[in-house]
Amino acid sequence: MTMFENWKYNNWKSKQVDRSDIEAYISYEIYPEDIEIFSKILYPDFMQHKNCIIRLPSDCTEQELDEIKILFESWENEKLSFEEIEKIMNYALVADIFFNTSMTSSFSTLESVATLIKFNWEIWLHKKFPDRKFNVVLLNDDGQLALTFFQQR
C-alpha cells in the first residue's frame, strides 16, 4: 500500500531529520489503543437470525438486538430475499465509520482503508462461519465508498 497521498504521514515525514520511514511514523505517532479500537471494525460481532448473518454494532445491547430482529422481520414482510436483507443490514458507509475525520482524508486513503476492512471481513467471516460462503463487496455509491456482505446461496 503506497502512502503518497496520506497527508498526515507526508506532513510528519517532511519534518523528520533522521528516520522518516513508515515504521518510525507508527512508532512515534500511532497508539496501540487506536488499533485496538479499530479492530472492532475489522473484526465485528455477528448474529445469526433465520439462517442470515448480520453484522452487529460494537457493544450491541439486548435492546439493539431486538430492534435488529424487528427490522429484519419488517424487510422479510416486504418479501425481500435473505440475500437482499443481508446486503441491506450489513451495509456500511466508510465515511460514517470515520464520521468526524473522513472529510480531511483523500479518496485514495479511504479506498485503502475500505480495502483493508473488506479483506478482514472476508477472513473473519470465513473463520467464524467456515461452512458458509460469503460475498464481501466494496461499492462506490456516487463517490461514497461502502461495504456490505451476504451469503452465497
Side-chain angles (χ1 to χ4, degrees):
M1 175 168 63
T2 58
M3 300 289 285
F4 298 114
E5 294 187 46
N6 188 305
W7 67 268
K8 284 184 71 177
Y9 173 70
N10 286 335
N11 186 40
W12 174 85
K13 185 177 178 175
S14 70
K15 297 174 185 171
Q16 300 310 304
V17 181
D18 53 356
R19 285 188 65 198
S20 62
D21 56 278
I22 299 293
E23 289 80 9
Y25 176 81
I26 291 169
S27 177
Y28 292 127
E29 301 293 324
I30 305 294
Y31 290 87
E33 291 80 5
D34 293 333
I35 304 302
E36 180 181 43
I37 290 167
F38 190 62
S39 72
K40 292 290 193 175
I41 302 299
L42 297 176
Y43 305 110
D45 291 323
F46 304 104
M47 70 177 274
Q48 185 172 331
H49 184 67
K50 295 192 175 183
N51 203 33
C52 289
I53 304 301
I54 308 300
R55 183 178 56 89
L56 296 175
S58 296
D59 303 321
C60 188
T61 66
E62 287 297 320
Q63 181 179 346
E64 288 173 313
L65 282 175
D66 291 340
E67 291 168 1
I68 290 167
K69 290 175 186 174
I70 290 167
L71 188 57
F72 184 101
E73 303 300 327
S74 71
W75 281 323
E76 188 177 29
N77 290 338
E78 291 182 26
K79 307 294 185 218
L80 271 72
S81 70
F82 284 165
E83 181 179 306
E84 291 170 316
I85 294 170
E86 283 180 326
K87 283 180 186 177
I88 293 167
M89 296 191 79
N90 294 318
Y91 184 89
L93 278 171
V94 175
D96 287 348
I97 295 170
F98 301 99
F99 182 73
N100 202 40
T101 58
S102 65
M103 299 308 276
T104 59
S105 297
S106 69
F107 184 82
S108 67
T109 294
L110 293 174
E111 191 172 39
S112 293
V113 171
T115 301
L116 173 69
I117 295 169
K118 178 185 183 292
F119 179 72
N120 279 271
W121 283 7
E122 289 168 342
I123 293 169
W124 193 234
L125 285 163
H126 179 71
K127 182 168 179 63
K128 297 288 276 185
F129 309 100
D131 297 334
R132 298 178 188 223
K133 293 189 188 273
F134 294 90
N135 286 331
V136 181
V137 182
L138 175 56
L139 307 161
N140 184 341
D141 288 341
D142 297 323
Q144 293 288 319
L145 294 168
L147 297 135
T148 191
F149 66 85
F150 56 93
Q151 291 180 75
Q152 296 175 14
R153 292 185 164 80

XYZ file of all heavy atoms in Angstrom, residues 53-105:
439
model
N -26.647 -13.965 8.395
C -25.577 -13.451 9.250
C -25.639 -11.926 9.178
O -25.551 -11.345 8.095
C -24.192 -13.965 8.797
C -24.174 -15.494 8.759
C -23.098 -13.394 9.686
C -24.478 -16.187 10.077
N -25.807 -11.318 10.345
C -25.957 -9.871 10.439
C -24.811 -9.308 11.274
O -24.551 -9.780 12.383
C -27.313 -9.491 11.090
C -28.484 -10.188 10.384
C -27.476 -7.970 11.140
C -28.653 -9.866 8.931
N -24.142 -8.290 10.725
C -23.075 -7.592 11.457
C -23.715 -6.725 12.532
O -24.675 -6.009 12.294
C -22.276 -6.725 10.478
C -21.099 -6.009 11.082
C -20.342 -5.219 10.020
N -21.189 -4.279 9.299
C -21.408 -3.020 9.696
N -20.842 -2.555 10.782
N -22.181 -2.239 8.979
N -23.145 -6.809 13.731
C -23.696 -6.076 14.869
C -22.892 -4.812 15.158
O -21.685 -4.770 14.927
C -23.680 -6.963 16.120
C -24.563 -8.205 16.059
C -24.365 -9.050 17.306
C -26.020 -7.831 15.886
N -23.565 -3.814 15.711
C -22.821 -2.640 16.187
C -21.901 -3.050 17.332
O -22.175 -4.013 18.057
C -23.910 -1.691 16.699
C -25.212 -2.279 16.307
C -24.996 -3.704 15.939
N -20.824 -2.312 17.515
C -19.914 -2.601 18.626
C -20.663 -2.483 19.943
O -21.496 -1.587 20.115
C -18.737 -1.621 18.626
O -17.982 -1.797 17.464
N -20.375 -3.393 20.870
C -21.005 -3.388 22.194
C -22.524 -3.356 22.104
O -23.191 -2.596 22.813
C -20.480 -2.222 23.039
C -18.971 -2.263 23.188
O -18.423 -3.369 23.350
O -18.337 -1.192 23.119
N -23.075 -4.167 21.234
C -24.511 -4.237 20.982
C -25.273 -4.657 22.245
O -24.888 -5.610 22.924
C -24.760 -5.231 19.856
S -26.447 -5.280 19.262
N -26.331 -3.943 22.541
C -27.160 -4.235 23.712
C -28.284 -5.200 23.332
O -28.575 -5.399 22.146
C -27.773 -2.948 24.284
O -28.689 -2.414 23.314
C -26.704 -1.929 24.638
N -28.938 -5.744 24.339
C -30.098 -6.615 24.101
C -31.206 -5.851 23.381
O -31.870 -6.396 22.501
C -30.615 -7.191 25.422
C -29.736 -8.268 26.016
C -29.622 -9.503 25.129
O -30.624 -9.926 24.514
O -28.502 -10.049 25.049
N -31.400 -4.597 23.744
C -32.416 -3.774 23.088
C -32.082 -3.591 21.605
O -32.963 -3.685 20.753
C -32.538 -2.418 23.768
C -33.596 -1.534 23.127
C -33.736 -0.179 23.807
O -33.242 0.029 24.907
N -34.409 0.737 23.133
N -30.805 -3.353 21.298
C -30.403 -3.219 19.898
C -30.596 -4.533 19.145
O -31.014 -4.523 17.974
C -28.941 -2.765 19.805
C -28.728 -1.321 20.195
C -27.266 -0.938 20.259
O -26.478 -1.708 20.873
O -26.917 0.115 19.713
N -30.319 -5.650 19.784
C -30.566 -6.954 19.149
C -32.040 -7.116 18.810
O -32.381 -7.571 17.708
C -30.118 -8.095 20.066
C -28.631 -8.390 20.144
C -28.359 -9.459 21.201
C -28.093 -8.837 18.804
N -32.898 -6.742 19.739
C -34.345 -6.823 19.492
C -34.759 -5.920 18.339
O -35.568 -6.310 17.484
C -35.126 -6.455 20.758
C -34.982 -7.493 21.863
O -34.613 -8.657 21.552
O -35.223 -7.146 23.031
N -34.190 -4.719 18.278
C -34.504 -3.777 17.191
C -34.026 -4.309 15.843
O -34.700 -4.135 14.824
C -33.883 -2.412 17.479
C -34.540 -1.695 18.648
C -33.760 -0.478 19.130
O -32.683 -0.155 18.546
O -34.219 0.148 20.110
N -32.877 -4.959 15.829
C -32.354 -5.557 14.597
C -33.299 -6.661 14.120
O -33.608 -6.752 12.925
C -30.921 -6.085 14.814
C -29.950 -4.910 14.974
C -30.484 -7.006 13.671
C -28.578 -5.297 15.485
N -33.769 -7.471 15.029
C -34.702 -8.541 14.664
C -36.015 -7.979 14.124
O -36.574 -8.503 13.152
C -34.961 -9.453 15.866
C -33.760 -10.290 16.244
C -34.015 -11.091 17.504
C -32.767 -11.809 17.970
N -32.966 -12.485 19.264
N -36.511 -6.916 14.732
C -37.747 -6.272 14.265
C -37.549 -5.715 12.856
O -38.404 -5.876 11.977
C -38.203 -5.167 15.246
C -38.694 -5.804 16.545
C -39.279 -4.275 14.624
C -38.887 -4.827 17.698
N -36.416 -5.070 12.622
C -36.105 -4.534 11.301
C -36.004 -5.659 10.273
O -36.535 -5.553 9.159
C -34.797 -3.743 11.365
C -34.394 -2.957 10.135
C -35.469 -1.971 9.713
C -33.077 -2.227 10.400
N -35.347 -6.744 10.660
C -35.235 -7.912 9.789
C -36.630 -8.400 9.396
O -36.904 -8.643 8.229
C -34.459 -9.020 10.515
C -34.194 -10.232 9.668
C -32.952 -10.412 9.090
C -35.174 -11.195 9.457
C -32.684 -11.531 8.311
C -34.925 -12.311 8.681
C -33.685 -12.486 8.101
N -37.502 -8.547 10.405
C -38.862 -9.032 10.154
C -39.625 -8.092 9.220
O -40.377 -8.558 8.358
C -39.630 -9.185 11.471
C -38.982 -10.107 12.496
C -38.786 -11.531 12.029
O -39.615 -12.038 11.252
O -37.766 -12.141 12.431
N -39.420 -6.793 9.372
C -40.141 -5.847 8.506
C -39.713 -6.017 7.047
O -40.549 -5.952 6.139
C -39.948 -4.406 8.982
O -38.634 -3.966 8.740
N -38.416 -6.218 6.805
C -37.970 -6.436 5.431
C -38.413 -7.801 4.911
O -38.718 -7.945 3.733
C -36.459 -6.277 5.325
C -36.047 -4.833 5.289
C -36.713 -3.810 4.674
C -34.915 -4.258 5.895
N -36.047 -2.635 4.859
C -34.924 -2.873 5.607
C -33.872 -4.760 6.664
C -33.950 -2.007 6.047
C -32.898 -3.887 7.094
C -32.941 -2.524 6.789
N -38.448 -8.762 5.782
C -38.941 -10.080 5.371
C -40.418 -9.981 4.990
O -40.852 -10.586 4.002
C -38.723 -11.082 6.509
C -39.012 -12.509 6.109
C -38.715 -13.498 7.217
O -38.820 -13.140 8.408
O -38.400 -14.647 6.871
N -41.196 -9.191 5.741
C -42.621 -8.995 5.426
C -42.824 -8.258 4.108
O -43.889 -8.366 3.495
C -43.327 -8.245 6.561
C -43.469 -9.106 7.804
O -43.433 -10.331 7.731
N -43.587 -8.461 8.948
N -41.812 -7.488 3.682
C -41.879 -6.802 2.395
C -41.427 -7.711 1.252
O -41.230 -7.256 0.130
C -41.039 -5.527 2.423
C -41.617 -4.458 3.321
C -40.798 -3.178 3.293
O -40.107 -2.914 2.281
O -40.859 -2.451 4.284
N -41.221 -8.983 1.573
C -40.859 -10.023 0.597
C -39.446 -9.874 0.034
O -39.163 -10.309 -1.072
C -41.871 -10.075 -0.560
C -43.306 -10.214 -0.143
C -43.567 -11.535 0.525
C -45.056 -11.688 0.817
N -45.333 -12.326 2.065
N -38.555 -9.251 0.796
C -37.156 -9.219 0.386
C -36.544 -10.591 0.631
O -36.884 -11.261 1.615
C -36.373 -8.166 1.169
C -36.350 -6.755 0.578
C -37.691 -6.086 0.728
C -35.264 -5.943 1.219
N -35.642 -10.989 -0.246
C -34.945 -12.261 -0.059
C -33.949 -12.129 1.080
O -33.562 -11.023 1.467
C -34.209 -12.653 -1.348
O -33.110 -11.788 -1.562
N -33.509 -13.275 1.609
C -32.497 -13.240 2.661
C -31.218 -12.568 2.170
O -30.567 -11.841 2.910
C -32.200 -14.638 3.186
C -33.268 -15.178 4.115
C -33.303 -16.524 4.427
C -34.219 -14.361 4.695
C -34.259 -17.042 5.291
C -35.183 -14.850 5.558
C -35.203 -16.198 5.849
N -30.855 -12.796 0.909
C -29.662 -12.151 0.363
C -29.823 -10.627 0.368
O -28.909 -9.901 0.758
C -29.401 -12.638 -1.060
C -28.172 -12.026 -1.692
C -27.909 -12.544 -3.089
O -27.822 -13.779 -3.266
O -27.773 -11.706 -3.999
N -30.985 -10.132 -0.044
C -31.233 -8.685 -0.054
C -31.207 -8.112 1.361
O -30.651 -7.028 1.597
C -32.575 -8.376 -0.715
C -32.606 -8.650 -2.200
C -33.998 -8.581 -2.800
O -34.947 -9.131 -2.188
O -34.139 -7.972 -3.868
N -31.787 -8.841 2.302
C -31.796 -8.380 3.686
C -30.377 -8.312 4.237
O -29.998 -7.335 4.881
C -32.701 -9.281 4.562
C -34.169 -9.141 4.132
C -32.536 -8.937 6.041
C -35.114 -10.155 4.770
N -29.577 -9.340 3.976
C -28.181 -9.310 4.432
C -27.425 -8.137 3.815
O -26.673 -7.443 4.507
C -27.471 -10.627 4.089
C -27.820 -11.764 5.010
C -27.102 -13.052 4.644
O -26.862 -13.310 3.443
O -26.770 -13.803 5.576
N -27.614 -7.898 2.522
C -26.935 -6.781 1.858
C -27.272 -5.459 2.542
O -26.391 -4.627 2.782
C -27.331 -6.700 0.384
C -26.677 -7.696 -0.502
C -27.169 -7.504 -1.946
C -26.661 -8.575 -2.863
N -27.190 -8.424 -4.237
N -28.546 -5.261 2.839
C -29.000 -4.006 3.452
C -28.491 -3.882 4.883
O -27.944 -2.852 5.278
C -30.542 -3.917 3.423
C -31.050 -3.785 1.986
C -31.035 -2.757 4.290
C -32.543 -4.009 1.839
N -28.648 -4.935 5.652
C -28.325 -4.854 7.078
C -26.820 -4.832 7.340
O -26.389 -4.359 8.391
C -29.002 -5.989 7.838
C -30.523 -5.880 7.792
S -31.364 -6.982 8.916
C -31.170 -6.103 10.453
N -26.030 -5.315 6.402
C -24.576 -5.338 6.586
C -23.874 -4.193 5.846
O -22.650 -4.140 5.807
C -24.022 -6.691 6.131
C -24.514 -7.804 7.029
O -24.562 -7.651 8.242
N -24.906 -8.918 6.435
N -24.648 -3.284 5.305
C -24.132 -2.138 4.552
C -23.490 -1.135 5.499
O -24.039 -0.799 6.541
C -25.299 -1.491 3.796
C -24.924 -0.354 2.891
C -24.564 -0.590 1.578
C -24.962 0.957 3.342
C -24.244 0.457 0.721
C -24.642 2.007 2.501
C -24.290 1.749 1.187
O -23.977 2.794 0.357
N -22.301 -0.659 5.125
C -21.601 0.335 5.942
C -20.909 1.338 5.037
O -20.110 0.951 4.176
C -20.576 -0.339 6.843
N -21.215 2.619 5.219
C -20.501 3.684 4.517
C -19.181 3.943 5.230
O -19.163 4.112 6.452
C -21.315 4.976 4.514
C -22.395 5.123 3.463
C -23.241 6.357 3.743
C -21.797 5.184 2.072
N -18.101 3.988 4.490
C -16.792 4.234 5.088
C -16.770 5.615 5.748
O -16.223 5.778 6.842
C -15.665 4.081 4.040
C -14.317 4.453 4.618
C -15.641 2.646 3.505
N -17.390 6.598 5.116
C -17.418 7.947 5.693
C -18.148 7.975 7.036
O -17.825 8.796 7.898
C -18.072 8.921 4.718
N -19.115 7.092 7.235
C -19.811 7.032 8.526
C -18.934 6.414 9.612
O -19.051 6.769 10.781
C -21.113 6.240 8.409
C -22.203 7.001 7.672
O -22.040 8.223 7.446
O -23.213 6.367 7.312
N -18.075 5.489 9.235
C -17.164 4.883 10.208
C -16.220 5.952 10.759
O -15.903 5.971 11.941
C -16.370 3.718 9.568
C -17.328 2.581 9.182
C -15.281 3.219 10.511
C -16.703 1.496 8.332
N -15.800 6.859 9.870
C -14.892 7.954 10.246
C -15.620 9.290 10.123
O -15.122 10.246 9.536
C -13.649 7.935 9.337
C -12.897 6.652 9.407
C -13.064 5.675 8.443
C -12.024 6.408 10.453
C -12.369 4.475 8.508
C -11.324 5.215 10.530
C -11.499 4.242 9.552
N -16.801 9.354 10.706
C -17.719 10.476 10.510
C -17.075 11.839 10.722
O -17.254 12.757 9.928
C -18.937 10.320 11.430
C -19.963 11.395 11.262
C -20.775 11.419 10.145
C -20.096 12.394 12.207
C -21.716 12.413 9.968
C -21.040 13.396 12.049
C -21.844 13.404 10.926
N -16.324 11.979 11.780
C -15.780 13.288 12.144
C -14.446 13.602 11.468
O -13.991 14.739 11.512
C -15.622 13.383 13.667
C -15.576 14.806 14.144
O -16.303 15.655 13.663
N -14.699 15.071 15.092
N -13.829 12.609 10.817
C -12.486 12.829 10.270
C -12.360 12.517 8.782
O -11.333 12.848 8.184
C -11.459 11.972 11.033
O -11.847 10.592 10.931
C -11.367 12.388 12.487
N -13.348 11.911 8.160
C -13.197 11.479 6.766
C -13.074 12.647 5.791
O -12.510 12.493 4.705
C -14.350 10.565 6.349
O -15.569 11.271 6.351
N -13.569 13.821 6.149
C -13.519 14.967 5.235
C -12.079 15.430 4.966
O -11.810 16.034 3.940
C -14.351 16.129 5.779
C -15.823 15.768 5.952
S -16.554 15.066 4.457
C -16.973 16.560 3.610
N -11.160 15.142 5.874
C -9.770 15.548 5.668
C -8.943 14.463 4.984
O -7.775 14.685 4.680
C -9.093 15.916 7.014
O -9.137 14.782 7.874
C -9.780 17.107 7.666
N -9.552 13.323 4.741
C -8.831 12.211 4.115
C -9.056 12.206 2.606
O -10.144 12.531 2.131
C -9.303 10.881 4.699
O -9.019 10.817 6.067
